[in-house]
């Protein structure tokens, strides 16, 4: 119900952060209109339907479902009302160049037994110490630095800052993991996640081990119907709670009067008045809409990008689990190639997701889906002509996978779709990366672009470009924090 004399809150973008924001706002009694340029909700958790194969084009790993529960709970619903979440056991299968495999379980005892089998009892003890450290790190970071507004360095001056320092959170990730497990395979399993934060493990803050906690301790889930089901479920809950979600309705500009945004103007020319606006577009696009040019002494640094190869096949392979991390022999050199040299991996480490293992309905009978993610340089770091090199790199990835046990992969492909950094750029993502800004120290916490916009009294940012950062859990939190700012500004 609209308060007397108050226009709705307009949320620009029906991605996961925008939908989470809308749910929390509706729960606080605000009227909400969500404007989305695409024909379906979900944002980067996108979708492509081809020849009977239902492809997720964005994230494939879902952790921390309690954050979804919180968003649905704001409007009196539960995750179970809207989604069928399947816990994945194992969360991942890690496959190595020497032919060994380690299943990554989130259950403490199962994983300790698996580590003992693969690397011996001493490493199993090290794993238990590592798990304990990850858990303590997560608890400190979540309550004070992730699920909390952090606008200035002064906001870090909390008791948990001392606890985080005592846990070694301001050291480096690779040594922190390596001090607890010696087996190189285990070190990779618990540190590869830093690449998606845009930093090599040797240079990443140990605090970013919290991502490994989410994957390897908290659990990994998959929604029946694919990750696309998240956006559809959240949009459905927004609509049921009285909000409006308008798809295929892109915002062309934001109308301003002084320091206030007064309306969103769509590409069709319609003016949608607003009391407050939450913008979830990629950061440069958000600032263009707001007519704001950020001033920073050092240019923002973006994360590496990714090449994603979607393959619909007429067969599958026993060695593949739902998520399989296929590690090459190279490790440190891989990060150097992507981040510093700006070229593709010569010995790639790949995430291969087979969603049809959990939900066969995503492909025609007797067929399977593969989602192959290869980290790659973003367009600022690399000078790769993807129009020319894309098809060659596709063949390289398929050849590598065949050599690693997926024999006959190329001949089994019945449909495919490839996404390169150039394609991400055409979608409006800065420097052609879906992972937004890198999580360097200078772009973390209060040093990351804030969710408030200087010179604008009623605009808030949400999404992976602002705090707390990149990933499905953090963008859900970003939406919640944005809603809290709106409510605080407007009372109630």
């Amino acid at each position: 119900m609209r308060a007397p004399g108050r226009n709705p809150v307009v949320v620009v973008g029906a991605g996961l952060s925008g939908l989470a924001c809308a749910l929390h706002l509706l729960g606080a009694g605000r009227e909400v209109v969500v404007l989305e340029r695409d024909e379906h909700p979900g944002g980067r958790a996108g979708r492509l339907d081809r020849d009977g194969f239902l492809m997720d084009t964005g994230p494939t790993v879902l952790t921390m479902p309690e954050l979804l529960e919180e968003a649905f709970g704001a409007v009196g619903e539960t995750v179970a009302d809207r989604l069928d979440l399947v816990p994945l056991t194992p969360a991942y299968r890690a496959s190595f160049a020497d032919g060994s495999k380690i299943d990554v379980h989130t259950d403490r005892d199962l994983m300790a037994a698996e580590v003992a089998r693969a690397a011996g009892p001493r490493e199993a003890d090290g794993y238990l110490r590592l798990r304990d450290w990850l858990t303590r790190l997560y608890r400190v970071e979540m309550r004070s630095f992730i699920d909390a507004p952090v606008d200035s360095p002064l906001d870090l001056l909390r008791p948990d800052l001392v606890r985080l320092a005592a846990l070694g959170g301001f050291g480096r990730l690779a040594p922190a993991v390596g001090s607890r497990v010696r087996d190189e395979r285990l070190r990779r399993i618990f540190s590869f996640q830093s690449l998606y934060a845009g930093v090599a493990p040797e240079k990443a803050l140990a605090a970013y081990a919290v991502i490994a906690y989410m994957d390897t301790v908290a659990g990994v889930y998959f929604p029946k119907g694919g990750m696309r089901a998240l956006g559809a479920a959240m949009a459905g809950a927004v609509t049921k709670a009285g909000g409006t979600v308008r798809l295929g309705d892109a915002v062309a500009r934001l109308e301003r009067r002084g320091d206030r945004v007064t309306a969103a103007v769509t590409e069709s020319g319609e003016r949608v008045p607003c009391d407050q606006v939450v913008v979830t577009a990629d950061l440069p696009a958000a600032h263009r809409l707001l007519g704001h040019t950020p001033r920073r002494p050092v240019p923002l640094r973006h994360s590496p990008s990714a090449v994603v190869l979607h393959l619909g096949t007429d067969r599958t392979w026993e060695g593949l689990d739902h998520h399989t991390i296929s590690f090459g022999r190279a490790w440190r050199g891989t990060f150097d190639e992507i981040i510093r040299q700006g070229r593709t991996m010569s010995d790639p480490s790949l995430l291969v997701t087979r969603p049809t293992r959990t939900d066969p309905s995503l492909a025609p009978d007797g067929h399977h889906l593969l989602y192959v993610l290869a980290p790659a340089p973003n367009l600022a770091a690399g000078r790769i002509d993807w129009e020319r090199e894309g098809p060659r790199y596709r063949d390289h990835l398929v050849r590598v996978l065949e050599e690693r046990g997926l024999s006959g992969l190329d001949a089994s492909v019945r449909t495919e779709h490839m996404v390169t950094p150039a394609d991400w750029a055409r979608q409006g993502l800065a420097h052609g990366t879906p992972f937004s800004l890198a999580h360097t120290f200078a772009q973390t916490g209060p040093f990351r672009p804030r969710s408030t916009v200087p010179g604008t009294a009623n605009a808030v940012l949400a999404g992976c470009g602002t705090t707390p950062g990149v990933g499905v859990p953090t963008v859900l939190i970003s939406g919640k924090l944005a809603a809290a700012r709106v409510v605080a500004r407007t009372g109630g």
Side-chain angles (χ1 to χ4, degrees), residues 398-487:
V398 169
R399 186 165 56 251
V400 165
L401 289 170
E402 288 186 330
E403 292 169 354
R404 295 180 185 176
L406 274 61
S407 58
L409 173 60
D410 202 15
S412 76
V413 174
R414 293 296 168 263
T415 193
E416 65 182 273
H417 178 70
M418 185 173 181
V419 182
T420 72
D423 296 312
W424 296 120
R426 279 189 282 271
Q427 293 179 31
L429 301 181
H431 300 300
T433 175
F435 302 118
S436 192
L437 300 180
H439 282 272
T440 60
F441 178 78
Q443 296 179 174
T444 294
F447 310 113
R448 198 169 182 82
R450 301 175 188 177
S451 59
T452 55
V453 182
T456 307
N458 65 334
V460 180
L461 301 178
C464 58
T466 184
T467 54
V470 178
V472 172
T474 40
V475 299
L476 292 172
I477 292 171
S478 177
K480 181 180 76 168
L481 295 177
R485 287 196 186 277
V486 169
V487 172

Side-chain angles (χ1 to χ4, degrees), residues 14 35-44 46 246-250 427:
L35 301 174
E36 168 58 48
R37 67 179 181 179
D38 291 336
E39 297 296 334
H40 49 78
R44 296 184 202 191
R246 292 169 45 171
L247 303 175
D249 212 0
Q427 293 179 31

Side-chain angles (χ1 to χ4, degrees), residues 245-469:
V245 179
R246 292 169 45 171
L247 303 175
D249 212 0
V251 174
R253 62 185 178 88
L254 295 175
E255 181 182 285
R256 291 183 59 160
R257 183 175 300 154
D259 65 353
R260 296 189 65 82
V261 176
T262 54
V265 181
T266 68
E267 288 187 348
S268 64
E270 181 182 356
R271 183 179 180 274
V272 183
C274 64
D275 179 66
Q276 301 275 324
V277 64
V278 180
V279 184
T280 71
D282 201 39
L283 211 55
H287 285 299
R288 282 195 298 272
L289 281 174
L290 289 162
H292 174 253
T293 302
R295 292 181 175 87
R296 289 180 65 94
V298 178
L300 293 170
R301 175 181 153 191
H302 282 71
S303 293
S305 184
V307 171
V308 178
L309 184 58
H310 302 273
L311 302 175
T313 69
D314 63 7
R315 60 166 293 188
T316 188
W317 294 263
E318 286 299 319
L320 289 179
D321 211 275
H322 186 110
H323 294 299
T324 300
I325 310 166
S326 176
F327 288 104
R329 294 188 182 278
W331 184 238
R332 292 189 181 185
T334 292
F335 295 96
D336 188 67
E337 287 174 334
I338 296 170
I339 296 173
R340 191 181 67 82
Q341 298 179 34
R343 61 189 184 92
T344 56
M345 298 175 286
S346 56
D347 183 18
S349 290
L350 308 169
L351 172 63
V352 182
T353 296
R354 179 168 62 112
T356 42
R357 182 186 186 279
T358 304
D359 187 354
S361 71
L362 298 174
D365 288 346
H367 292 71
H368 292 270
L369 265 176
L370 296 182
Y371 171 112
V372 182
L373 185 148
N378 64 42
L379 297 182
R383 295 292 182 267
I384 299 170
D385 181 352
W386 284 106
E387 301 303 319
R388 184 184 67 183
E389 294 298 326
R392 299 179 191 175
Y393 196 54
R394 176 268 182 205
D395 292 344
H396 173 66
L397 293 176
V398 169
R399 186 165 56 251
V400 165
L401 289 170
E402 288 186 330
E403 292 169 354
R404 295 180 185 176
L406 274 61
S407 58
L409 173 60
D410 202 15
S412 76
V413 174
R414 293 296 168 263
T415 193
E416 65 182 273
H417 178 70
M418 185 173 181
V419 182
T420 72
D423 296 312
W424 296 120
R426 279 189 282 271
Q427 293 179 31
L429 301 181
H431 300 300
T433 175
F435 302 118
S436 192
L437 300 180
H439 282 272
T440 60
F441 178 78
Q443 296 179 174
T444 294
F447 310 113
R448 198 169 182 82
R450 301 175 188 177
S451 59
T452 55
V453 182
T456 307
N458 65 334
V460 180
L461 301 178
C464 58
T466 184
T467 54

Side-chain angles (χ1 to χ4, degrees), residues 169-181:
F170 296 107
R172 297 300 172 188
L173 177 61
V177 172
S179 68
R180 293 166 173 88
V181 290

Side-chain angles (χ1 to χ4, degrees), residues 5-266:
R6 177 180 287 175
N7 286 316
V9 180
V10 167
V11 178
V12 180
L16 301 186
S17 66
L19 292 170
C21 181
L23 288 169
H24 285 287
L25 286 170
L26 288 162
R30 299 301 189 270
E31 183 181 2
V32 180
V33 176
V34 182
L35 301 174
E36 168 58 48
R37 67 179 181 179
D38 291 336
E39 297 296 334
H40 49 78
R44 296 184 202 191
R47 54 185 289 183
L48 175 68
D49 299 346
R50 176 168 292 185
D51 302 323
F53 294 87
L54 310 184
M55 304 172 181
D56 286 328
T57 59
T60 62
V61 178
L62 175 62
T63 63
M64 311 296 292
E66 60 267 29
L67 296 172
L68 278 173
E69 199 73 69
E70 195 174 10
F72 284 116
V75 294
E77 295 202 36
T78 68
V79 168
D81 293 333
R82 295 279 176 178
L83 293 164
D84 182 4
L85 293 188
V86 180
L88 299 183
T89 304
Y92 298 97
R93 172 165 293 156
S95 176
F96 299 91
D98 63 2
S100 63
K101 291 180 172 56
I102 298 177
D103 283 347
V104 182
H105 296 282
T106 53
D107 179 85
R108 178 187 179 95
D109 294 336
L110 280 178
M111 188 59 187
E114 177 69 356
V115 172
R117 177 201 66 79
R122 178 177 292 181
E123 289 297 89
D125 290 340
Y127 157 72
L128 293 174
R129 291 194 302 275
L130 177 61
R131 183 187 176 99
D132 178 66
W133 176 68
L134 290 172
T135 301
R136 289 184 288 136
L137 196 71
Y138 167 78
R139 288 172 180 165
V140 168
E141 291 188 46
M142 178 59 81
R143 67 186 174 221
S144 289
F145 306 112
I146 298 176
D147 195 8
V150 180
D151 292 329
S152 89
L154 294 177
D155 291 330
L156 296 176
L157 300 179
R158 301 167 177 170
D160 276 337
L161 182 67
V162 176
R163 297 185 182 98
L164 182 59
L167 287 167
F170 296 107
R172 297 300 172 188
L173 177 61
V177 172
S179 68
R180 293 166 173 88
V181 290
R182 297 182 180 180
D183 189 287
E184 178 63 26
R185 297 168 301 172
L186 296 174
R187 292 181 178 187
R188 293 188 186 190
I189 286 171
F190 290 98
S191 65
F192 81 91
Q193 298 90 347
S194 74
L195 182 59
Y196 303 113
V199 189
E202 289 77 17
K203 296 183 178 180
L205 288 175
Y208 281 101
V210 70
I211 307 174
Y213 170 89
M214 294 175 182
D215 284 359
T216 65
V217 178
V220 175
Y221 297 78
F222 186 73
K224 287 291 186 72
M227 292 290 282
R228 65 178 63 198
L230 297 181
M234 295 175 76
V238 168
T239 302
K240 183 179 178 183
T244 300
V245 179
R246 292 169 45 171
L247 303 175
D249 212 0
V251 174
R253 62 185 178 88
L254 295 175
E255 181 182 285
R256 291 183 59 160
R257 183 175 300 154
D259 65 353
R260 296 189 65 82
V261 176
T262 54
V265 181
T266 68

